[in-house]
Amino acid sequence: MSSLMEEMNAKAIALGVPLGVHLDLTWRCNERCLHCYLDHDDQGEMTFEEISRLLGQMAEAGVFLLTLSGGEPLLRKDFFAIVRRARELMFNVKLKTNGILIGEKQAALIRELGVENVQMSVYSHRAEVHDAITKAPGSLKRTIRAIEFLVSQGLKVTIAHVMMRNNRGDYPGVQQLAGRFGASFTMDPTITPHINGDRSLLALNISREELRAVMRDETLVNNAAEYCAPPAPVTGEDLDGVPCSAGHSSCYISPYGDFYPCVQFPLACGNVRVQRFQDIWKSSPQLEEVRSIRARDLPVCSTCVHVASCTRCPGLAYMEGNMRGPSTADCGKSHARTGIPSANMRRLGIVADG
């Protein structure tokens, strides 16, 4: 996050303003990715009129950053009408798409409407690996074609790479693709549970040894020695700060109007089909509980040497059974970076590599 965005986010949290919203327009998709955490059947998506009304309420509440995603959002026939409405309301719009439905005409429209950034997932530079993950033959070829179209239109493109057992070791090839096209590159080595709580997807996560290598790769971090240094002493500020922007300055809304703190935090807080966005944001008891949490309130994490530097996700902790508990995925990242077991790992006796 840039220093400007960090400053904006801090001010939004202090003022109680919902700076950013992630809105899934549909969970339908033309890919069936192995690691996807969503159901793809349409259970009655919000109509254009409902989404337009929601966007108006979000604008009134002070939302500025809007991420439109799915599923595959371009499967909606009214997709460009939704983007146009969002831009009329002056949202800064980011799009997440697999790009399969983007041709020259669609790329030109995305540019015309002033979309700030388009993010597309590339799981491998090798078609046989990427297509096996998406379960869509020819998907890598079509995604790359979309990237080329968008870059040719002067758009900012981010290539996102999710690392799992099926594509481990392929991220340097994807990095090279991003460099060749003039796109940004981002990589995430964490597989998350299904939104319904099913944790079987976690079997796709890479090993601890592979995670350690990723965390120390200088092509991914600016200064591996500094990044992987032992954690600094914990201060009162570390224990009393807001641990995550979820529910504080950002939130997630499903295609069915369900309101959550984050896409990785499926704690139902209301539904925008029957409640105004701002009423949920200001008055949801569930959001109030999320906002009450500070690091010093966490029974295990407050005692951990990593508490100041850990990327602990309260949503992943919630999906493990307790939003005030540890996120084992983030414990693993801290351990991989520094070689120092977390308090939770010590509590569970998980200190050996493997």
Side-chain angles (χ1 to χ4, degrees):
M1 186 184 291
S2 69
S3 57
L4 176 59
M5 286 305 302
E6 288 175 352
E7 184 178 344
M8 288 178 64
N9 191 57
K11 287 184 176 179
I13 291 173
L15 296 171
V17 174
L19 179 64
V21 172
H22 178 141
L23 171 61
D24 276 354
L25 300 179
T26 180
W27 282 354
R28 291 175 290 131
C29 195
N30 45 11
E31 295 182 334
R32 287 294 183 272
C33 296
L34 294 174
H35 61 292
C36 186
Y37 52 82
L38 299 174
D39 291 315
H40 296 304
D41 294 331
D42 181 3
Q43 301 297 325
E45 299 163 0
M46 287 188 287
T47 64
F48 173 78
E49 289 72 22
E50 288 177 309
I51 291 174
S52 181
R53 182 170 63 249
L54 169 63
L55 293 176
Q57 293 173 7
M58 286 163 46
E60 290 177 10
V63 175
F64 174 56
L65 305 171
L66 175 64
T67 298
L68 297 177
S69 185
E72 175 44 53
L74 271 79
L75 284 173
R76 285 192 64 128
K77 294 181 180 179
D78 56 2
F79 169 74
F80 285 105
I82 292 170
V83 177
R84 190 176 299 278
R85 176 60 176 152
R87 293 295 295 132
E88 287 172 353
L89 292 168
M90 302 302 291
F91 290 116
N92 177 290
V93 176
K94 176 181 179 179
L95 170 63
K96 292 186 176 183
T97 171
N98 59 37
I100 288 178
L101 298 176
I102 296 178
E104 294 183 14
K105 178 181 177 182
Q106 291 78 15
L109 266 173
I110 291 170
R111 179 177 183 271
E112 175 189 318
L113 290 169
V115 172
E116 171 67 19
N117 183 278
V118 181
Q119 178 175 306
M120 283 182 273
S121 293
V122 176
Y123 302 111
S124 174
H125 58 295
R126 298 180 292 157
E128 65 272 20
V129 176
H130 177 95
D131 294 0
I133 290 172
T134 65
K135 300 181 185 178
S139 56
L140 178 61
K141 181 178 180 180
R142 285 178 285 178
T143 294
I144 286 178
R145 181 186 64 188
I147 293 169
E148 291 178 314
F149 283 154
L150 292 168
V151 171
S152 73
Q153 293 294 315
L155 281 151
K156 297 176 185 175
V157 176
T158 297
I159 292 178
H161 179 76
V162 178
M163 187 178 182
M164 63 191 89
R165 291 184 182 271
N166 305 61
N167 64 357
R168 54 188 165 210
D170 280 9
Y171 71 87
V174 179
Q175 276 182 305
Q176 290 177 8
L177 275 180
R180 193 172 89 204
F181 294 127
S184 300
F185 174 81
T186 181
M187 197 272 283
D188 188 354
T190 306
I191 303 297
T192 59
H194 195 279
I195 199 165
N196 66 9
D198 182 1
R199 299 178 63 78
S200 62
L201 293 176
L202 301 185
L204 295 170
N205 271 313
I206 59 175
S207 70
R208 283 193 216 160
E209 186 174 335
E210 289 164 332
L211 181 60
R212 183 184 300 108
V214 167
M215 289 291 183
R216 295 166 182 267
D217 187 333
E218 293 193 353
T219 70
L220 300 174
V221 296
N222 291 329
N223 186 326
E226 181 178 324
Y227 179 67
C228 297
V234 178
T235 67
E237 184 178 348
D238 296 324
L239 292 172
D240 291 324
V242 172
C244 174
S245 63
H248 291 272
S249 63
S250 62
C251 63
Y252 164 67
I253 299 173
S254 82
Y256 314 116
D258 296 311
F259 189 117
Y260 303 109
C262 172
V263 69
Q264 291 186 167
F265 199 160
L267 172 68
C269 301
N271 188 289
V272 297
R273 281 177 149 162
V274 295
Q275 300 164 273
R276 286 178 54 83
F277 174 90
Q278 196 156 3
D279 291 341
I280 300 173
W281 181 260
K282 287 185 174 181
S283 304
S284 164
Q286 294 83 5
L287 282 179
E288 288 180 9
E289 181 180 3
V290 170
R291 291 168 184 156
S292 72
I293 298 173
R294 295 295 183 271
R296 71 168 62 253
D297 303 322
L298 308 177
V300 177
C301 298
S302 62
T303 68
C304 185
V305 296
H306 296 293
V307 68
S309 58
C310 181
T311 56
R312 176 187 176 274
C313 172
L316 293 181
Y318 172 77
M319 295 187 80
E320 288 189 42
N322 182 4
M323 73 173 78
R324 296 174 186 269
S327 159
T328 55
D330 294 300
C331 289
K333 288 180 185 177
S334 294
H335 183 218
R337 277 196 307 108
T338 66
I340 300 173
S342 70
N344 187 50
M345 294 175 73
R346 292 185 184 280
R347 180 176 68 96
L348 298 175
I350 307 173
V351 295
D353 294 334

